Structures are given as C-alpha cells and as structure tokens.
Amino acid sequence: ASMTKPVASVALMILYEEGHFQLRDPISRWLPEFSDMRVASAATYREVGRSRFQTAQAAGPITVQHLLTHTAGLPNTYRGITKTDFDAIAPQREDGDTVGDFVTRLAELPLNFDPGAAWEYGRATDVVGRLVEVMSGMSFDEFLQSHIFGPLAMFDTHFYLPEDKLDRFAGLYRPDVTGGLLLVEAPTENSRFVRRPHSYFSGAGGLVSTARDYFRFQQMMLNGGELDGVRILGRKTVELMTVNHIGDQDIWLVGPGHGFGLGYAVVQDPGVVGMPYSKGSYFWWGAFNTTFWVDPTEELVGVLLTQLRPYTHLNIRQDL
C-alpha cells in the first residue's frame, strides 16, 4: 500500500538529480492536462440542486513540490467537496487501466483548495509515477526496476507478484467481532496484487515487498543515498527529501509535531508527538498496518509489516 510512496518519491528525485526539473516547476510542463486548474467551493443556496459546488480559477499552478508534499489540492477518497467525484473516476485495474489514464481523468476534476494552501493526503503519488514515465520515457515499473530494485538487489519487490512466489505471499485479514481474524484476500493468483492485467503501476500504493527488501531501501536512505557501494541518490538530495517543506500546516493523518518532506513525514517536535523519536526522524505508514521509520541521530531503521485492516484498535506500531 502506501509504503510504496517513498519509493516513488525517490524515483522522481533521481530524475531531479539528472536535471529534468526543479521542485517549483509546474507539472503542466509535462502533464498539460493540469494547465488550467479550478478550485471547488460550496455551492450557494441559489445553485443547490443544479450543482454540488462552484469553481474558481486556481491561484497558482500545481508544482512538483506540491505533489511530493501532498499539498496540491487534488481530489481524494478521504475528504473534500469532490470526494464523490473522485470515487467515480478511481483506477479500474481490472479493465487494463494505466496510471496515465487515471491521471488524465483526475485532471478533469476541480481541486479541493489552491495548490500549497493545505496538506491533504491522497493519490498525488500516482501523478508522481506518471511524471517519472513522461520524463524518463520508460514505464514506471521498468524505471523502478532499472534504477532502484536492480541496483539495490531488491529481488522480491514487484508491482504484481510472480506466481512462482505465491507460496511466500501473505494473506490480508480484518478483525472479527469475536476477537479473531477473518481472511479478506487470500494469497492466491486471484489477489489484486497478482492477477492480470498488469497495466496499472501505482506510485501511491501498488508495490508488494519483503522485510529484507524494504529494509535495504531505507538503509540506503539512512546512509545518505548509498548501499553496498551502489549510489541511488546524492546525500544532499536525501537531506532535502527529509526536511519539512510545508511550514506549520496541519498533518491531520499523523497529528501535531510533524512536518512533511518529499514523500516522508518528518518529526519536528518529539515532545508534541509524544514518542521517543529523535528530531528529524522520518517515516510513513501503510493501510494494512505497516510502517517504517528512519532515525538518523541513532542510525536506526525500523520496519513493521502486518496484513490487517482496519487496525486502529491496536497500538502495535506505537509499541514497537
């Protein structure tokens, strides 16, 4: 799930180091469908019945930095006046949808707020993946394999699991009212992470991986962009990704005391967070109760992988 987002963000920053863009560049340079965005607001009493919202010209363009920090204002499935509209255009993997198809549909919807005005979690990292494709001329899965997974010897990280690895695939569960677990998605060839068509490569949440592989990726980040003699990013780029880019905007999903960098939440005040992180630690979570954190001060990487949703009745991540 969303443990994919830091990987996708690193992929785009590889292209940053190659000189393809600056963070403040409008994404419409590569995705012209985002050239003329509008912002939705509540309909007036005279308009109710004809439209659920009215729109006005966005105050400025969506930049690459907005995408990486979740401040672009894009519609999403969590909150916002355009939630219903987003749900109607969400990716349809079974029909051979591609991330490019989805991004085109997404650009047709109005924004929830002016770019940069707030933090709102959503599918912006799918647009990040599409930028990688357009800038590099490669499909997103090919780019990740050639620039990250291959060089880091991440042999078990895939958008769609090869069927010869099914005997190592974990099932997905949900809590039962009796206190037990119910199987929601069996680890078979019918899983959405295995079955064909293999066409939608989601930077927002498409990868499957292992503890070993994911550890190697974050160890590379802790090392300043290098692992086992292989350099993925320069040290200054890693530092740029893991500092706060959004001031004091509310990161509602993780709570106060945090900022947000380029694909990572960043601890600003451990006392406000109420956890024994070092200041400057960075992390993210996944929808199936997965998490990682990197603490540069302690030279520590932590990874927790479970397969459970919902999981808010547990404190396992906090306890670890």
Side-chain angles (χ1 to χ4, degrees), residues 141-314:
D141 62 326
E142 292 172 338
F143 187 92
L144 292 185
Q145 182 60 44
S146 62
H147 288 75
I148 298 176
F149 303 153
L152 291 180
M154 295 171 63
F155 304 123
D156 286 322
T157 304
H158 310 274
F159 275 113
Y160 296 93
L161 189 71
E163 291 193 19
D164 61 3
K165 297 185 179 184
L166 277 173
D167 61 336
R168 298 165 53 212
F169 191 35
L172 176 62
Y173 296 84
R174 67 175 174 84
D176 188 4
V177 293
T178 65
L181 296 175
L182 291 177
L183 183 65
V184 174
E185 188 166 333
T188 70
E189 66 275 6
N190 292 319
S191 165
R192 78 192 105 160
F193 294 103
V194 181
R195 68 175 179 261
R196 294 183 180 277
H198 295 172
S199 60
Y200 196 93
F201 306 116
S202 173
L207 291 174
V208 293
S209 191
T210 62
R212 173 202 173 275
D213 276 17
Y214 206 79
F215 170 80
R216 288 184 64 81
F217 178 81
Q218 298 301 349
Q219 182 70 57
M220 174 274 294
M221 292 293 289
L222 177 61
N223 292 352
E226 177 273 335
L227 182 65
D228 293 342
V230 176
R231 180 158 294 281
I232 303 299
L233 287 175
R235 176 177 57 85
K236 295 302 293 184
T237 300
V238 172
E239 292 175 1
L240 180 62
M241 293 185 69
T242 55
V243 296
N244 182 30
H245 284 243
I246 64 169
D248 59 358
Q249 288 178 350
D250 179 30
I251 317 292
W252 58 266
L253 193 58
V254 294
H258 298 95
F260 208 88
L262 307 179
Y264 291 88
V266 184
V267 175
Q268 300 297 289
D269 189 331
V272 174
V273 173
M275 297 287 288
Y277 292 112
S278 302
K279 183 177 180 180
S281 296
Y282 49 95
F283 68 95
W284 199 237
W285 300 337
F288 307 132
N289 198 27
T290 59
T291 191
F292 73 91
W293 79 98
V294 180
D295 186 330
T297 300
E298 300 295 336
E299 298 186 338
L300 178 68
V301 175
V303 179
L304 172 70
L305 304 177
T306 80
Q307 295 291 97
L308 181 68
R309 185 180 189 184
Y311 55 83
T312 52
H313 61 296
L314 299 176

Side-chain angles (χ1 to χ4, degrees), residues 126-141:
D126 270 353
V127 187
V128 167
R130 181 56 180 158
L131 279 178
V132 170
E133 292 187 333
V134 174
M135 290 180 184
S136 70
M138 304 171 67
S139 68
F140 192 40
D141 62 326

